[in-house]
Amino acid sequence: LGHDDFELKLAALRTMVEQHVSEEEQLFFPQVEQELDQDSLEFLTEEMLEALEDSLSSDFRNARLSA
């Protein structure tokens, strides 16, 4: 895989992720906010923040190698 190929694939991946995030923000999040009560939303927020902190503090290469 050459440098140019890598850059093209990275750009395509970035576009796909940005589209996915946009869809979730526009479609999924409003639906969740409508369906859950405030306590459930706060609990879900805390759980998601903890998962984010865990993922940011771990070495992604270990997950990739063990998969």
Side-chain angles (χ1 to χ4, degrees):
L1 185 67
H3 180 72
D4 290 339
D5 290 335
F6 176 79
E7 292 295 326
L8 286 172
K9 289 180 185 216
L10 183 61
L13 177 60
R14 180 178 288 125
T15 299
M16 291 170 58
V17 169
E18 288 172 351
Q19 289 173 348
H20 175 77
V21 168
S22 178
E23 288 174 6
E24 285 199 353
E25 289 175 342
Q26 293 175 9
L27 302 173
F28 182 69
F29 287 177
Q31 184 178 359
V32 168
E33 289 174 337
Q34 190 174 34
E35 297 292 326
L36 298 180
D37 62 23
Q38 190 62 34
D39 289 339
S40 296
L41 284 172
E42 289 175 11
F43 177 77
L44 182 59
T45 299
E46 290 174 16
E47 292 291 309
M48 292 176 76
L49 287 173
E50 284 180 25
L52 174 62
E53 289 174 11
D54 288 348
S55 68
L56 292 175
S57 66
S58 67
D59 186 347
F60 72 92
R61 293 171 291 193
N62 290 336
R64 184 183 68 198
L65 294 174
S66 64

